[in-house]
């Protein structure tokens, strides 16, 4: 859950240069100018596959594996570490026997910042290149272009988007995208 109940977080984010002056999250776009903040609440029920099958639950998706790490030394909150991100991705692929060549879509963090988005794409490219030389086979998007950055609820919002996309066999468009960020090559 993320709720902004006073002006303090907005003042802090503004002072850090994080907020989009236009109020639009332009994920991967050359005119990306910061995050669009929103509030969010989400909930999912996680069960082992065996338990969900035994209980007769509707299964929206199966989480094959996950991982987490510490980002290491960076230039600040808005500048994540590409090497740390790609190391984590490779660890998860190896631990859970996932070949990125079989991944058809990535729901990115995609904040719509001119620095963060290229770092995230570079990490994905580095990790994927350890397994395949194929190009242009995997879609990428971010729910933040549609609903904004729900901070603490952002990961869950992304998961819910992916689960609903699987259920309805359709990906919502990434809004406010016109031209690829000049620091990103796909």
């Amino acid at each position: 859950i993320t709720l902004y109940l006073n002006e303090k977080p907005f003042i802090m984010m503004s002072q850090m240069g994080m907020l989009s002056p236009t109020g639009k999250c332009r994920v991967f776009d050359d005119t990306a100018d910061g995050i669009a903040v929103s509030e969010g609440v989400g909930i999912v029920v996680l069960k082992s596959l065996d338990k969900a099958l035994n209980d007769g639950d509707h299964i929206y998706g199966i989480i094959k594996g996950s991982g987490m790490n510490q980002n290491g030394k960076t230039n600040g909150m808005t500048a994540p570490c590409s090497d740390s991100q790609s190391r984590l991705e490779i660890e998860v692929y190896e631990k859970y026997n996932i070949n990125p060549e079989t991944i058809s879509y990535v729901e990115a963090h995609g904040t719509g910042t001119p620095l963060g988005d290229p770092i995230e794409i570079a990490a994905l490219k580095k990790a994927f290149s350890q397994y395949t030389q194929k190009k242009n086979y995997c879609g990428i998007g971010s729910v933040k272009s549609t609903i904004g950055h729900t901070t603490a609820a952002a990961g869950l919002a992304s998961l819910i988007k992916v689960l609903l996309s699987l259920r309805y066999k359709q990906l919502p468009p990434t809004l406010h995208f016109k031209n690829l960020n000049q620091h990103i090559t796909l």
Side-chain angles (χ1 to χ4, degrees), residues 26-38:
R26 292 181 172 87
V27 178
F28 313 127
D29 193 81
D30 204 37
T31 61
D33 59 2
I35 67 171
V37 179
S38 64

Side-chain angles (χ1 to χ4, degrees), residues 151-171:
T151 51
L156 193 53
S158 294
L159 175 63
I160 291 169
K161 174 192 168 186
V162 169
L163 293 173
L164 290 172
S165 295
L166 288 168
R167 180 176 182 183
Y168 293 106
K169 297 177 177 37
Q170 170 176 326
L171 286 172

Side-chain angles (χ1 to χ4, degrees), residues 46-55 57 59 61-62:
L46 300 177
K47 284 187 179 181
S48 69
L49 181 57
D50 291 339
K51 177 114 174 82
L53 290 169
N54 283 342
D55 293 347
D57 294 335
I59 300 169
I62 298 170

Side-chain angles (χ1 to χ4, degrees), residues 2-68:
T2 298
L3 298 173
Y4 294 104
L5 303 176
N6 62 46
E7 71 282 354
K8 288 179 185 174
F10 293 101
I11 292 169
M12 181 201 69
M13 288 184 280
S14 179
Q15 289 172 340
M16 292 178 68
M18 295 171 61
L19 299 178
S20 167
T22 61
K24 293 182 179 174
C25 185
R26 292 181 172 87
V27 178
F28 313 127
D29 193 81
D30 204 37
T31 61
D33 59 2
I35 67 171
V37 179
S38 64
E39 296 177 322
V41 175
I43 187 168
V44 295
V45 175
L46 300 177
K47 284 187 179 181
S48 69
L49 181 57
D50 291 339
K51 177 114 174 82
L53 290 169
N54 283 342
D55 293 347
D57 294 335
H58 178 85
I59 300 169
Y60 286 84
I62 298 170
I63 299 171
K64 193 167 182 179
S66 65
M68 117 177 115

